[in-house]
Amino acid sequence: MTKLSRRFFLQTIGAAVASTVVGCTSKPILPVQGSAKRHIRLAFYTDIHARKEWDTPEALAMAAASINAQHPDIVLGGGDYITDGFQSSVATVAHRWDAYMKMHNNIQATLFPAIGNHDLVAALPEDGTPAAEDPRAIYLQKMGLARTYYAFDTLGYHFIVLDSVEVTGGKYKYRGFISPAQMEWLKQDLAALKSDTPIVVITHVPLVTAFYNVTQGVEFKPRPNRVIVNNKEVLELFSQHNLILVLQGHLHVKERYQWGNTTFITGGAVCGKWWRRGNWYKTKPGYNLITLNDNHVEWEYVEYGWQPRRP
């Protein structure tokens, strides 16, 4: 198996995205051995909420080591790499980024990240400091990206990474939403694909989930900051395409849901119950190991052995 260097990722994705304008597609081809076979092993982790209290740096090191031991072809990040960036100042969360980036840099396979709501820094600070002109700027700098949404091809699959967070203020502060500019970009990206190309989407806020039906009842309506509110419009764009897998986070539960030919996997959380002791809806701290073989999806949720110590 050929490993992709992090430098190659930054140069390929970063340069491609930087040169892309809305309405054009960005599809770097990653030279991984065996691309004609449509067989790929993925690790997907999400909701890290990095910080330095309660020995969490030790947990992050354990998680990275566990991911490396699986020898994935590529690794996908589902967002919320730090905790409370959205409502905090740049200075407040600087050490949290330091903690997360140690884990990030310890992962050996090439890592493709999606942004989460906590990764927007100083979007709406609660300490009276000014809001950031661009709350995504620090995330982009840390990840070596020019834009928070992008696409790439490898091993016979087309991957689409979405930015699912819109700052709204008000009661809920933000909502799950795919912006009009991003929707236009997505239309153009899909138009360049053959209809049978297998597609994987990565998003922080879920496109589809049964979590609230199961835990709150079928009449419960999720808050707009819990799900992507224009999910139907997004999914309609894939109606003539081969969307085989959607990877999503945000809810800290492990969940697999099938609709038509698409598998939706909600990926639990590296931090479990926000580093608190006990499980969150039967989900322990963990990540996901996924094997794709043409259009077939195999999924395993891996508990990496951390026992949370937060009171």
Side-chain angles (χ1 to χ4, degrees):
M1 177 175 60
T2 301
K3 291 292 184 184
L4 299 175
S5 71
R6 194 172 306 278
R7 176 176 295 179
F8 179 87
F9 166 61
L10 296 179
Q11 291 175 343
T12 306
I13 292 292
V17 172
S19 64
T20 300
V21 296
V22 174
C24 297
T25 186
S26 168
K27 299 190 300 178
I29 307 299
L30 304 182
V32 182
Q33 187 176 358
S35 60
K37 298 179 181 178
R38 285 190 177 177
H39 181 90
I40 188 169
R41 184 177 174 88
L42 312 172
F44 171 61
Y45 71 97
T46 185
D47 293 272
I48 300 86
H49 292 264
R51 58 196 313 153
K52 292 194 173 181
E53 300 87 349
W54 313 300
D55 300 320
T56 54
E58 181 182 342
L60 302 186
M62 285 180 61
S66 181
I67 290 169
N68 290 338
Q70 304 291 350
H71 302 293
D73 293 299
I74 60 174
V75 177
L76 304 168
D80 280 2
Y81 305 102
I82 65 167
T83 196
D84 293 342
F86 189 92
Q87 65 267 39
S88 303
S89 68
V90 172
T92 298
V93 299
H95 68 287
R96 297 172 190 167
W97 276 117
D98 291 343
Y100 169 70
M101 292 308 295
K102 288 181 179 179
M103 174 188 177
H104 186 95
N105 292 327
N106 281 338
I107 291 175
Q108 295 169 355
T110 302
L111 199 163
F112 298 89
I115 193 170
N117 51 289
H118 284 261
D119 306 319
L120 277 69
V121 177
L124 295 172
E126 295 178 349
D127 62 359
T129 57
E133 182 177 347
D134 179 8
R136 291 169 168 81
I138 292 177
Y139 167 84
L140 290 171
Q141 183 271 322
K142 295 290 185 182
M143 300 300 170
L145 293 171
R147 193 172 61 190
T148 53
Y149 55 93
Y150 55 92
F152 64 95
D153 294 299
T154 191
L155 290 169
Y157 294 86
H158 186 69
F159 290 81
I160 298 173
V161 179
L162 297 177
D163 180 341
S164 56
V165 182
E166 181 187 50
V167 180
T168 60
K171 180 178 180 180
Y172 296 114
K173 311 297 184 185
Y174 67 93
R175 66 174 178 168
F177 184 71
I178 305 302
S179 67
Q182 197 172 173
M183 290 286 283
E184 182 59 31
W185 168 83
L186 184 55
K187 290 176 186 177
Q188 297 299 321
D189 184 73
L190 293 173
L193 295 179
K194 294 181 179 179
S195 60
D196 63 345
T197 301
I199 299 170
V200 178
V201 167
I202 304 95
T203 172
H204 179 67
V205 182
L207 273 167
V208 173
T209 177
F211 172 69
Y212 292 103
N213 285 3
V214 173
T215 60
Q216 306 295 328
V218 295
E219 295 184 354
F220 181 82
K221 183 178 180 180
R223 301 193 306 268
N225 61 0
R226 299 290 89 194
V227 293
I228 293 176
V229 298
N230 60 337
N231 70 326
K232 185 174 183 292
E233 291 80 3
V234 174
L235 290 170
E236 284 175 350
L237 296 182
F238 292 91
S239 62
Q240 302 303 313
H241 293 275
N242 185 22
L243 178 60
I244 64 167
L245 178 62
V246 176
L247 299 173
Q248 50 197 25
H250 199 44
L251 303 183
H252 293 223
V253 297
K254 59 180 180 181
E255 172 191 43
R256 176 171 179 161
Y257 178 81
Q258 189 79 24
W259 177 255
N261 296 323
T262 306
T263 299
F264 297 82
I265 292 175
T266 309
V270 170
C271 72
K273 189 181 177 182
W274 294 267
W275 300 115
R276 293 182 177 91
R277 295 171 184 171
N279 302 330
W280 183 248
Y281 288 95
K282 301 180 181 180
T283 302
K284 294 182 179 180
Y287 64 92
N288 306 267
L289 189 63
I290 298 157
T291 301
L292 304 179
N293 191 357
D294 200 9
N295 293 328
H296 181 67
V297 178
E298 296 180 6
W299 170 58
E300 177 187 1
Y301 186 73
V302 180
E303 298 168 1
Y304 64 93
W306 181 253
Q307 297 297 321
R309 301 170 188 177
R310 180 177 179 178

